[in-house]
Amino acid sequence: MKRTLAIIFALIVWFAVVAQYYMMLENRVTGIPETTIRFFSFFTILTNSLVAIYFTDQAISVTRSTRANNSGFLTAITIYITIVGLVYQILLRQIWEPQGLSMLVDELLHSVNPLLVICFWYLYENKSKISYKQIPKWLVFPLVYLIFILFRGSISQFSPYPFIDVSALGLSQVLINSATLVLVFVVMSALFVFTGRWLSKKSV
């Protein structure tokens, strides 16, 4: 059952990522290299790509141990994709109205895929092994992302999200927004650890 779900979920997530890239290329206003860099400048895309790779790994190696099977790895990507969904629903959904294929892909990336990962986490994560001590390690990915985006934005004048756009908001406000996002990651991580331990004890 685990492998079947991993295959189905991998196909769904890969479709969303590839389709989004195709549409971005079709509507590009810069060259392909710059468009590709901008594509992967979105935390949504990076996280969905990570999810797609994870499900692919689970689909082809479910019977053997891999790094992706280490306790905490699934929790980390679940935290990332959950925040992708929450930030979109709270801050970004109202600023644009996609149509057709764009709307389908948009819902997959921000609504459906987060739910798929949460379900997989609920079913298959070894929740008794996750701990609060792992939170600093889980924060590395979003912190590196923020540093990269702020650095590249200062050079290219391109920001993937309005709340980290230095040219529009100023550096001080962007740093405040970034610190708030880091805090959200910490709180969400703690919530998943707490929930995982509670579910683990409940199943005993």
Side-chain angles (χ1 to χ4, degrees):
M1 181 62 179
K2 182 180 181 181
R3 188 184 184 200
T4 300
L5 285 179
I7 292 172
I8 294 171
F9 291 177
L11 291 173
I12 293 172
V13 182
W14 277 123
F15 166 77
V17 172
V18 172
Q20 184 63 48
Y21 182 59
Y22 169 79
M23 289 188 292
M24 194 164 179
L25 288 178
E26 286 289 294
N27 298 287
R28 70 184 185 273
V29 295
T30 62
I32 291 178
E34 176 63 21
T35 299
T36 300
I37 293 173
R38 292 187 179 189
F39 177 73
F40 286 107
S41 294
F42 288 89
F43 191 76
T44 295
I45 297 301
L46 289 175
T47 302
N48 273 275
S49 298
L50 186 60
V51 167
I53 293 169
Y54 171 79
F55 281 139
T56 301
D57 175 82
Q58 293 300 293
I60 64 179
S61 60
V62 71
T63 58
R64 61 184 176 85
S65 178
T66 67
R67 282 191 174 183
N69 287 324
N70 293 339
S71 297
F73 190 90
L74 175 55
T75 298
I77 64 172
T78 306
I79 292 164
Y80 305 151
I81 198 73
T82 299
I83 291 177
V84 164
L86 289 176
V87 169
Y88 180 78
Q89 308 304 332
I90 296 171
L91 299 177
L92 302 175
R93 178 177 286 279
Q94 65 271 20
I95 68 175
W96 79 310
E97 297 180 0
Q99 303 294 325
L101 178 60
S102 182
M103 181 177 68
L104 171 62
V105 172
D106 189 69
E107 291 300 331
L108 288 174
L109 291 171
H110 301 101
S111 302
V112 176
N113 294 349
L115 291 176
L116 297 182
V117 180
I118 290 171
C119 288
F120 205 83
W121 177 86
Y122 175 79
L123 292 171
Y124 299 114
E125 177 62 291
N126 186 355
K127 303 173 192 64
S128 64
K129 298 295 183 180
I130 59 176
S131 71
Y132 295 105
K133 293 180 180 180
Q134 293 172 299
I135 293 178
K137 181 170 63 177
W138 297 340
L139 288 176
V140 171
F141 175 55
L143 285 173
V144 170
Y145 170 80
L146 276 173
I147 293 171
F148 167 74
I149 288 303
L150 293 177
F151 174 74
R152 189 170 193 280
S154 68
I155 298 173
S156 66
Q157 304 305 309
F158 170 77
S159 177
Y161 300 107
F163 47 82
I164 53 173
D165 187 350
V166 176
S167 62
L169 301 177
L171 181 59
S172 296
Q173 185 59 53
V174 168
L175 290 177
I176 291 172
N177 293 346
S178 299
T180 301
L181 285 172
V182 172
L183 179 60
V184 170
F185 273 99
V186 172
V187 172
M188 185 62 65
S189 298
L191 181 61
F192 266 93
V193 173
F194 176 82
T195 303
R197 288 185 167 188
W198 179 76
L199 289 172
S200 179
K201 290 178 181 179
K202 187 178 178 181
S203 63
V204 174

